[in-house]
Amino acid sequence: MAGRIEDYALIGDMQTAALVCRDGTVDWLCLPRFDSHAIFAGLLGTEEHGFWRLGPAHAADSEPPTAARRTYRGDSLILESEWDTPRGTVRVTDFMPPRDGAPQLIRIVEGVTGRVPMRSALRMRFSYGRVVPWVHKHEGRTVAVAGPDSVWFDTEAETYGKSLTTYADFTVAPGDRIAFTISWQPSHKEPPPLPEPETSLEATEEFWREWVEHCTYHGPYREAVIRSLITLKALTYAPTGGIVAAPTTSLPEDIGGVRNWDYRYTWLRDAAITLSSLLRTGYREEARAWREWLLRAVAGDPENLQIMYGIAGERELGEAELDWLPGYENSAPVRVGNGAAHQLQLDVYGEVTEALHLAHMTGLARNDYASLLQLKLIRYLEDHWDEPDEGIWEVRGPRRHFVHSKVMAWVAVDRTIKLIESGDADGPLERWRELRDDIHRDVCEKGYDKERNTFTQSYGSKELDASLLLIPQMGFLPPDDKRVIGTIEAIQRELSTTDGFILRYPTEGEHEGVDGLPGDEGAFLACSFWMADDLAMIGRVDEARKLFEKLLSLRNDLGLLAEEWDPGRQRQVGNFPQAFSHVPLIDTALRLTASGAYGG
């Protein structure tokens, strides 16, 4: 059985990523890209669907021992796990070198004390655990081949095959270092070069050291901010600049339920807010690369903006179910692709425009096509802002006039007006000022419940929605407006869990709710960070700090967050690690630091 979601560590090469459990098992890896088929899919099934375990040897009828300690080496994505055994202590270092050629996952075993018997058990299963590859020797190397894929396994240790698994049994003493590497290569090409594990380790450490040096944040939450920034960098697809929402698919929002989605794509919303965090912490090159990705993805058809694209800008992300996988803790179906790609979500226009505006304001070199794109998006919104849509949460129920969508349409128009006023674009200024006023008036009249003094999820509804917390953050209304304060307090009353975290919106258990799905879900971590932001903005800074630090305590031992927190099970749930959780963590840390609202 796979471990708890928070039991996993992330390693990656900025083109794909692997999840490594506390017991030394790699249960998830897609090659060669984030959105490729998995060769280890045990995370969503059983050991029969692929895994790679490397750790102290144990009896066949016992559970693999878990590491006594694990950490990232400094500010890097190099994982170090240590086991204390009756015979001594051993360390395993896992990493994926930033890619220059074939993608590699390298694992180095190092003896610390005593003499420790070790075992590597490698079971490769291609196509998400469905295909057993042909495993054979080629010039002393082990290679697994199936269709277009080949994976090469290199080690100095003696290996043998048993039960369709490749094993290595060996013993390490102090100072011993034994490396294991898998490399992916198209099966029709020549074998990849022999790996150089020690050289790759040095280069990987140097890469991350140099990258972290660019961070301009030096406040009291630097450790959490740096780890979140490294995670966001790891979720960036380096060849194109696209940013995936998470490296996994179908980790459930409701364990045992059907709320299981594929997040290995680039949501414009997630990527735009990621861009804003990177810009505000000194990472202009990543911001420039994302802007170029956006312009390529949208090119030729900006009026039909999709809410998400493939990591190279692909438009077709057809959704399918993998019925041979039972799902994480029997949370089925397991989905690949995402049918929400063609939904109408008007808020995306606001997020993209806000990101372009921030890039402009922070001095990113001007791009004329970016300004042209922004003008085209507003011309589209002129005719469509007053339509119902599926909203920020991608509901699969009927379209509604979601308040957040209208607010973000206002943001799009407002930021474009500012672009024109700065002299960097031309457009019908007076007409768009009237449009901005019309949208603002419409929201305040139709999306506000005077009796309860709160904005609502959609026009005419009584339900609340945590996305309303963004109203003051986007400048739609000032923080001291009574309607803003009333909305914050209403969300605290009606969408707060017993431990103070925030739900996205009400769900209906076994019945189909506003999102068109049965079941419930955990507290949405991004929304909880938004609440901390809002509390700081309205002057309740001590309360904001306490909530923020409580949220930091939910991170796993390596500083990673999934999408949600299950307050009943006291566990992380949803795809992992999640960009949409780490971005607001950074934003809230910056806000609290600026306000002086931190302990110590």
Side-chain angles (χ1 to χ4, degrees):
M1 175 183 284
R4 298 180 307 164
I5 290 170
E6 56 265 46
D7 286 339
Y8 285 92
L10 174 76
I11 58 173
D13 62 3
M14 286 145 293
Q15 295 193 43
T16 190
L19 294 186
V20 187
C21 197
R22 287 179 184 271
D23 65 3
T25 303
V26 180
D27 277 323
W28 183 255
L29 175 62
C30 300
L31 290 172
R33 305 190 341 171
F34 290 109
D35 56 354
S36 299
H37 291 195
I39 68 162
F40 303 135
L43 183 67
L44 301 177
T46 70
E47 290 186 349
E48 292 302 315
H49 299 108
F51 71 96
W52 183 8
R53 181 174 299 119
L54 179 58
H58 63 283
D61 58 352
S62 65
E63 292 294 321
T66 57
R69 294 169 299 281
R70 62 177 184 170
T71 186
Y72 286 116
R73 179 182 292 186
D75 293 330
S76 78
L77 209 61
I78 300 168
L79 176 69
E80 295 182 330
S81 305
E82 290 187 352
W83 284 260
D84 296 328
T85 78
R87 298 191 180 185
T89 297
V90 65
R91 179 184 302 120
V92 175
T93 300
D94 293 323
F95 66 101
M96 297 183 72
R99 192 177 305 180
D100 181 17
Q104 295 180 329
L105 192 164
I106 300 175
R107 316 190 74 180
I108 300 175
V109 181
E110 179 184 359
V112 179
T113 65
R115 292 180 56 82
V116 183
M118 299 288 291
R119 167 170 279 194
S120 167
L122 174 65
R123 182 175 296 170
M124 289 177 279
R125 295 292 183 268
F126 293 5
S127 193
Y128 299 104
R130 193 177 196 180
V131 175
V132 178
W134 171 41
V135 180
H136 61 284
K137 292 287 187 178
H138 178 85
E139 297 181 356
R141 306 173 72 182
T142 301
V143 58
V145 178
D149 301 298
S150 68
V151 174
W152 295 75
F153 178 48
D154 293 289
T155 182
E156 295 177 0
E158 291 290 328
T159 64
Y160 62 95
K162 180 181 178 182
S163 302
L164 299 177
T165 303
T166 300
Y167 290 97
D169 295 319
F170 57 101
T171 299
V172 289
D176 289 348
R177 291 175 69 87
I178 300 177
F180 298 78
T181 302
I182 58 171
S183 310
W184 179 90
Q185 184 86 319
S187 59
H188 64 278
K189 289 191 174 183
E190 293 296 311
L194 284 167
E196 299 180 0
E198 299 294 349
T199 301
S200 295
L201 178 60
E202 291 178 9
T204 301
E205 188 171 9
E206 180 64 18
F207 170 86
W208 286 109
R209 183 186 303 114
E210 291 181 357
W211 188 81
V212 168
E213 286 177 355
H214 290 88
C215 180
T216 56
Y217 175 77
H218 296 281
Y221 302 114
R222 181 172 168 84
E223 176 273 327
V225 169
I226 289 293
R227 182 49 53 191
S228 291
L229 285 168
I230 290 172
T231 303
L232 296 178
K233 178 66 171 175
L235 299 181
T236 302
Y237 183 64
T240 67
I243 302 168
V244 297
T248 55
T249 179
S250 300
L251 289 180
E253 298 165 9
D254 178 22
I255 292 178
V258 300
R259 297 169 180 264
N260 318 314
W261 316 106
D262 192 347
Y263 275 18
R264 299 170 300 154
Y265 305 110
T266 299
W267 269 254
L268 294 189
R269 176 187 306 109
D270 297 36
I273 65 170
T274 300
L275 169 69
S276 71
S277 292
L278 291 168
L279 277 170
R280 284 184 284 168
T281 49
Y283 291 99
R284 296 161 62 90
E285 178 56 32
E286 285 74 11
R288 184 202 60 77
W290 178 83
R291 187 178 66 181
E292 297 303 313
W293 174 90
L294 172 70
L295 299 180
R296 292 192 303 270
V298 178
D301 198 16
E303 293 81 8
N304 293 317
L305 195 70
Q306 291 187 187
I307 66 161
M308 73 180 87
Y309 296 82
I311 51 181
E314 299 90 344
R315 288 176 171 266
E316 297 304 321
L317 309 176
E319 188 172 300
E321 297 180 2
L322 308 185
D323 57 10
W324 62 90
L325 287 172
Y328 178 86
E329 295 193 17
N330 294 313
S331 303
V334 171
R335 295 182 173 94
V336 293
N338 202 304
H342 296 288
Q343 285 188 351
L344 176 64
Q345 296 178 23
L346 293 169
D347 68 291
V348 170
Y349 292 81
E351 270 103 18
V352 169
T353 304
E354 170 73 352
L356 293 174
H357 172 72
L358 183 61
H360 179 261
M361 294 297 292
T362 52
L364 202 63
R366 177 175 171 171
N367 183 300
D368 289 336
Y369 183 64
S371 299
L372 178 62
L373 170 63
Q374 195 167 333
L375 296 174
K376 287 186 174 182
L377 297 181
I378 302 309
R379 291 192 178 99
Y380 175 86
L381 275 181
E382 271 193 291
D383 297 326
H384 298 279
W385 72 268
D386 56 352
E387 296 177 4
D389 72 339
E390 276 91 1
I392 181 175
W393 307 127
E394 300 172 5
V395 301
R396 301 203 173 195
R399 288 182 175 180
R400 292 172 170 81
H401 290 281
F402 287 103
V403 170
H404 176 260
S405 296
K406 310 298 186 192
V407 168
M408 294 309 296
W410 177 90
V411 168
V413 179
D414 177 73
R415 304 315 190 253
T416 305
I417 289 170
K418 287 179 167 60
L419 181 70
I420 297 169
E421 290 173 339
S422 72
D424 288 323
D426 294 317
L429 199 54
E430 289 307 315
R431 191 173 88 214
W432 286 350
R433 284 173 177 161
E434 290 180 12
L435 175 62
R436 179 176 63 182
D437 292 343
D438 288 344
I439 299 173
H440 199 280
R441 188 182 310 109
D442 195 67
V443 171
C444 292
E445 289 178 357
K446 299 177 182 177
Y448 175 67
D449 184 335
K450 292 181 180 179
E451 293 182 5
R452 296 159 64 208
N453 186 30
T454 181
F455 286 95
T456 60
Q457 184 180 56
S458 60
Y459 288 1
S461 72
K462 291 294 183 183
E463 292 89 0
L464 298 182
D465 191 307
S467 63
L468 302 169
L469 293 169
L470 295 173
I471 286 175
Q473 296 178 37
M474 291 295 107
F476 183 83
L477 286 172
D480 60 358
D481 188 290
K482 71 177 184 67
R483 294 166 292 184
V484 169
I485 295 172
T487 300
I488 294 169
E489 292 176 344
I491 289 172
Q492 277 190 310
R493 287 193 308 271
E494 299 185 28
L495 292 182
S496 180
T497 64
T498 54
D499 41 15
F501 305 125
I502 304 300
L503 303 170
R504 287 191 289 183
Y505 48 78
T507 51
E508 301 295 333
E510 296 180 1
H511 304 289
E512 191 173 286
V514 66
D515 56 14
L517 296 167
D520 294 312
E521 63 177 23
F524 204 79
L525 296 176
C527 300
S528 303
F529 284 113
W530 295 343
M531 175 60 77
D533 268 312
D534 277 19
L535 291 171
M537 292 179 76
I538 64 174
R540 292 160 59 175
V541 290
D542 189 54
E543 189 178 349
R545 176 184 58 80
K546 288 179 180 177
L547 175 57
F548 178 68
E549 293 180 355
K550 194 172 182 180
L551 284 162
L552 291 185
S553 73
L554 301 184
R555 298 176 302 153
N556 75 357
D557 57 314
L558 297 170
L560 302 178
L561 287 170
E563 185 177 35
E564 300 181 7
W565 174 257
D566 185 327
R569 293 182 172 90
Q570 295 287 292
R571 290 179 55 182
Q572 293 192 30
V573 289
N575 282 305
F576 174 88
Q578 174 70 235
F580 208 44
S581 297
H582 284 279
V583 168
L585 182 158
I586 296 168
D587 294 345
T588 307
L590 295 177
R591 188 182 302 279
L592 291 176
T593 300
S595 70
Y598 50 87

